[in-house]
Amino acid sequence: MAQREFQTEVSQLLQLIIHSLYSHQEIFLRELVSNASDALDKLKYLSLTEEPYKSMPFDPRIDLELDEAAGTLQIADTGIGMNDEDLVSHLGTIARSGTKNFLANLSGDAKKDSNLIGQFGVGFYSAFIVADKVEVISRKAGEEKAWRWTSDGKSGYELEPAERDKSGTTVILHFHTEGKEYANSWKLREIVKKYSNHIAFPIFLTADENEWDEAEKKSVKKRTTKQVNAASALWKRPKNELKDEDYKELYKSVSGDWADPLCWFHTKAEGTMEYTTLFYIPSKAPFDLYQADYRPGVKLYVRRVFIMDDSKELLPTYLRFVRGIIDSEDLPLNVSREILQQNRVLTAIRTASVKKILSELKSLATDNPEQYTNFIEEFNRPLKEGLYSDHANEETLLELIRVKTTKSEGWTSLAEVKGRMQEGQKGIYFITGQNATQLRNSPLLEIYKKKDIEVVILADEIDEFIFSRIEKYQDVELKSVNKASSGDDLKDETAEEKREALTPLLEKLKRVLGEKVKDVRQSARLADSPSCIVSDEEEPSLQMRQMLRAMGQKEMPEGKPILEINPDHEIVKKLLAASNDSLVDDAAFLLLDQALLVEGIALEDPGAFVQRLNRVLRRAV
Ligand code: ADP
């Protein structure tokens, strides 16, 4: 029997789980029961839709068997099972890049890492929190052979042929000394009730229980088997029968999250279409929310039969943080992914669900601002993604998102910003970039500060994409201060007078800078700085180009900055009078480079910048 090694990542994950979950040991049972339930879901679906599974007997159940004396616990299911290849790939390697990234990003600081792992589905490997030996005996549905996988959770595992009467999986935990506290039927019952009460399949516990023996007039140990969970599709029950605790417990079992959800929305639709939805908003964003292989967390059921849980069709991508259940009465059971994409019933459910979720969030914002702030801290960004992709709900999304501004360090709504507009102000202004502090100090804001006009600070990398496409909030225009023509509020009454004096300098600067700039113009937006850069209306800003390049985009539309010069600045006034050409040459580049630097844009030739700076300094000292 050959010993096989774990993939490096598996060993890493195992170490982490064992060392960081000692205060949450009991979750091992939730994870294993949830795997068993998934395996039953998969076979149940096949047994309703596909031969040969349709003609195979199927008695879905999960059996926990405790042997106190031996210190072992079996978790057996009658589900889909695994063959040798499945065992190797599912229990010996990590395929998902999300998980790999998660591991790569760990700090090595045990405390921080154990907080992180709380948001991460630990799954099967949690068995090793309580056991120093784990056996898995499994037989795949429709196959004759069974296999035994054995491991101590350290070096690797062994795989050998085995026997099993029926298809399904049995996991046998050999508790280590500390884990022995779970070799206790009372404790196991409590844990099942706490985490797995609403698993849709019956869970039985077989153990030696104390029972009163009438004949012997004393309590004796008897081997008994009892169902320990309620096994009801909780979402089908009327709302008034459900307590908060029921909802929270179901959330934990469907999401794998340990924390309570932030809130939930339970809806039953009747009429032309019948369906039930129960949506949860997590209290924390999952660690891999922004990764490509993120798995959305809404499960699709048809008449209480689980169909699939990773379909991207159930809700739009921007709502991928929502967890929960959609249970339809009208869809066919054997609905495939391909069919789902164009299914009218599902499209209607999806549209109604999005409306429902957004309107509930709107109510939350009014009724419970504190909770809404928590929501925004975690999920503002996905909502903004919705502004890009969901035009039908643009108006609602603009009400839901929150922003920071030059006048508010905390979150504020566009409605509030609109409410604070000045008499006669022509639009709501925003500045985009990648660093809020940098943006707050940008010279582009000087004139707005001077005129006491509030400017929205948008520092998410996606903001420029999104907000450059949105023209209005209600009836007010949204205008980017990074753009050349940014608004009627900037009119400088004395601009014409200054132009005559400034023009020769502008032309000289343009000549010196040549290809580096699109234009050199007189600015109306600067107070304390001599220069700034803006972009042409139709072009992506330099920050956006920098970001696209970092993301690997090679083809980029032409785009050069427009350099704006402050006619009232002392340096500029002195330059107007300067006759020394080499000084003006240096100044031209320094005015451009400092404007780039302050916007967080890397200089093409930092060496040349430093040389020029030193030449000018030498003159000054
Ligand atoms: P996850 O459940 O998040 O995918 P796990 O580590 O818990 O991760 O399990 C890895 C895989 O092993 C599962 O996706 C499933 O394919 C398989 N597996 C685990 N437990 C069982 C089981 N009881 N029956 C069948 N397959 C299982």
Side-chain angles (χ1 to χ4, degrees):
M1 182 169 43
Q3 170 86 20
R4 301 172 190 231
E5 288 196 4
F6 285 129
Q7 192 190 20
T8 332
E9 281 96 347
V10 174
S11 308
Q12 225 183 326
L13 185 59
L14 268 167
Q15 283 310 308
L16 182 69
I17 291 174
I18 294 167
H19 289 114
S20 50
L21 294 180
Y22 44 80
S23 56
H24 288 94
Q25 287 183 327
E26 61 182 27
I27 60 120
F28 79 91
L29 191 56
R30 180 191 76 191
E31 298 292 322
L32 296 176
V33 165
S34 145
N35 279 352
S37 163
D38 290 346
L40 287 164
D41 272 335
K42 284 180 196 154
L43 187 56
K44 180 167 179 187
Y45 173 68
L46 291 175
S47 75
L48 289 166
T49 55
E50 244 176 70
E51 288 301 350
Y53 308 98
K54 268 173 147 173
S55 39
M56 291 193 306
F58 179 45
D59 170 24
R61 58 185 283 158
I62 300 169
D63 276 282
L64 310 181
E65 254 191 88
L66 175 65
D67 185 337
E68 263 182 75
T72 62
L73 174 68
Q74 285 194 15
I75 299 108
D77 64 68
T78 53
I80 186 84
M82 288 176 277
N83 61 20
D84 47 347
E85 279 173 33
D86 296 336
L87 284 163
V88 170
S89 67
H90 298 331
L91 307 186
T93 57
I94 291 175
R96 290 178 57 213
S97 62
T99 311
K100 287 188 181 165
N101 277 338
F102 168 79
L103 290 167
N105 285 329
L106 292 173
S107 62
D109 174 341
K111 205 157 168 205
K112 276 197 208 137
D113 292 347
S114 55
N115 283 339
L116 262 183
I117 205 161
Q119 309 165 34
F120 173 84
V122 285
F124 171 78
Y125 301 112
S126 61
F128 292 100
I129 308 174
V130 291
D132 51 14
K133 178 177 166 192
V134 177
E135 292 173 75
V136 180
I137 300 152
S138 194
R139 179 172 149 191
K140 193 166 183 160
E143 296 186 11
E144 292 301 314
K145 279 191 186 153
W147 297 89
R148 180 197 314 274
W149 176 104
T150 318
S151 173
D152 59 4
K154 292 192 183 86
S155 43
Y157 60 95
E158 283 156 7
L159 192 64
E160 61 188 328
E163 296 292 321
R164 202 180 191 282
D165 295 357
K166 292 189 209 143
S167 68
T169 302
T170 307
V171 177
I172 307 171
L173 306 179
H174 298 258
F175 289 121
H176 52 50
T177 321
E178 248 185 89
K180 283 235 167 58
E181 66 172 293
Y182 295 97
N184 173 320
S185 63
W186 177 83
K187 199 154 200 167
L188 293 174
R189 230 182 343 259
E190 288 303 301
I191 302 175
V192 171
K193 281 224 152 59
K194 180 164 166 195
Y195 294 111
S196 316
N197 204 19
H198 295 289
I199 290 279
F201 305 100
I203 304 172
F204 297 94
L205 174 62
T206 302
D208 297 328
E209 307 275 9
N210 284 319
E211 277 187 16
W212 185 254
D213 187 314
E214 230 356 89
E216 299 211 20
K217 295 275 180 245
K218 65 172 187 190
S219 135
V220 292
K221 289 246 180 211
K222 274 197 189 146
R223 195 87 182 142
T224 56
T225 300
K226 282 187 195 147
Q227 184 169 340
V228 281
N229 68 330
S232 63
L234 174 144
W235 59 90
K236 282 290 186 186
R237 307 229 306 261
K239 278 197 217 181
N240 57 13
E241 285 179 18
L242 294 168
K243 294 195 281 300
D244 283 2
E245 285 315 312
D246 295 325
Y247 282 113
K248 288 181 188 170
E249 181 204 303
L250 180 71
Y251 169 74
K252 288 177 188 167
S253 74
V254 298
S255 69
D257 194 351
W258 310 5
D260 285 340
L262 189 73
C263 56
W264 55 86
F265 321 128
H266 188 186
T267 318
K268 194 169 173 153
E270 275 161 344
T272 47
M273 253 186 343
E274 269 184 54
Y275 62 88
T276 305
T277 55
L278 172 51
F279 294 123
Y280 290 96
I281 309 291
S283 49
K284 281 251 170 297
F287 74 97
D288 54 352
L289 190 61
Y290 300 107
Q291 280 163 8
D293 60 354
Y294 176 78
R295 288 197 277 191
V298 172
K299 294 179 190 264
L300 177 67
Y301 286 76
V302 171
R303 293 180 289 284
R304 271 170 291 252
V305 177
F306 170 81
I307 306 291
M308 61 181 78
D309 64 357
D310 54 351
S311 170
K312 305 208 154 86
E313 309 309 323
L314 301 180
L315 285 180
T317 313
Y318 75 94
L319 292 178
R320 63 192 177 281
F321 57 88
V322 176
R323 312 260 149 189
I325 285 146
I326 296 177
D327 190 350
S328 159
E329 299 292 319
D330 309 311
L331 282 170
L333 269 180
N334 57 354
V335 54
S336 69
R337 267 167 222 281
E338 294 67 41
I339 292 175
L340 269 186
Q341 291 176 9
Q342 323 123 12
N343 184 282
R344 285 200 359 253
V345 174
L346 193 74
T347 312
I349 295 179
R350 174 178 148 129
T351 310
S353 297
V354 173
K355 285 234 157 14
K356 176 75 188 167
I357 292 168
L358 298 184
S359 81
E360 291 281 353
L361 287 173
K362 219 166 149 179
S363 313
L364 184 72
T366 339
D367 303 343
N368 195 338
E370 201 176 315
Q371 221 179 32
Y372 194 71
T373 306
N374 293 341
F375 166 75
I376 284 295
E377 288 290 343
E378 301 294 322
F379 302 114
N380 200 36
R381 175 171 161 164
L383 282 189
K384 289 194 284 192
E385 291 174 25
L387 283 172
Y388 188 80
S389 56
D390 186 0
H391 290 285
N393 291 301
E394 185 177 298
E395 244 172 76
T396 319
L397 286 164
L398 281 173
E399 298 297 340
L400 288 175
I401 59 156
R402 292 293 180 265
V403 293
K404 304 212 165 148
T405 76
T406 46
K407 292 193 177 176
S408 128
E409 296 272 339
W411 296 108
T412 187
S413 67
L414 289 176
E416 289 165 320
V417 176
K418 184 182 168 192
R420 288 193 290 261
M421 276 169 69
Q422 301 197 359
E423 273 289 313
Q425 190 181 322
K426 303 285 191 320
I428 292 179
Y429 295 93
F430 64 87
I431 182 167
T432 53
Q434 290 178 54
N435 176 319
T437 319
Q438 225 166 54
L439 290 179
R440 282 181 194 281
N441 293 325
S442 166
L444 297 177
L445 296 182
E446 288 171 3
I447 189 73
Y448 301 91
K449 280 185 197 148
K450 207 164 146 195
K451 298 195 173 194
D452 201 30
I453 294 178
E454 180 165 22
V455 177
V456 173
I457 309 270
L458 296 171
D460 259 339
E461 62 204 358
I462 57 169
D463 286 335
E464 186 178 337
F465 268 125
I466 290 164
F467 287 87
S468 59
R469 293 157 50 119
I470 294 173
E471 292 179 0
K472 284 186 166 182
Y473 166 69
Q474 297 179 348
D475 54 345
V476 186
E477 267 189 78
L478 291 179
K479 296 180 179 183
S480 162
V481 311
N482 310 67
K483 299 285 175 186
S485 71
S486 65
D488 306 333
D489 290 309
L490 291 187
K491 282 247 153 40
D492 174 4
E493 304 301 333
T494 58
E496 278 313 312
E497 295 163 30
K498 293 170 194 160
R499 192 177 307 282
E500 209 174 319
L502 193 65
T503 305
L505 178 65
L506 294 181
E507 277 172 3
K508 213 186 281 178
L509 296 177
K510 211 179 328 186
R511 217 168 30 244
V512 173
L513 294 172
E515 288 297 294
K516 298 250 177 276
V517 292
K518 180 155 189 166
D519 199 5
V520 182
R521 296 180 188 163
Q522 173 175 342
S523 187
R525 67 184 96 220
L526 294 170
D528 306 323
S529 304
S531 63
C532 67
I533 48 154
V534 291
S535 321
D536 213 2
E537 218 53 21
E538 303 306 321
E539 284 174 2
S541 71
L542 292 188
Q543 286 93 334
M544 176 123 109
R545 298 164 63 80
Q546 187 162 291
M547 182 186 111
L548 290 173
R549 207 170 296 126
M551 281 163 39
Q553 183 159 328
K554 294 207 178 65
E555 302 269 315
M556 205 106 49
E558 257 305 290
K560 287 181 197 153
I562 297 168
L563 179 66
E564 287 196 357
I565 300 293
N566 178 359
D568 301 320
H569 198 277
E570 202 192 332
I571 295 182
V572 174
K573 284 185 179 156
K574 290 215 164 126
L575 275 177
L576 280 173
S579 55
N580 181 332
D581 273 351
S582 74
L583 174 68
V584 177
D585 278 12
D586 280 339
F589 282 99
L590 287 173
L591 287 172
L592 175 62
D593 288 352
Q594 63 166 290
L596 290 167
L597 279 175
V598 78
E599 300 298 332
I601 295 161
L603 298 182
E604 268 172 34
D605 188 352
F609 169 74
V610 172
Q611 281 172 13
R612 283 191 196 101
L613 185 63
N614 286 336
R615 269 203 296 274
V616 174
L617 272 179
R618 205 173 304 129
R619 256 182 234 271
V621 291

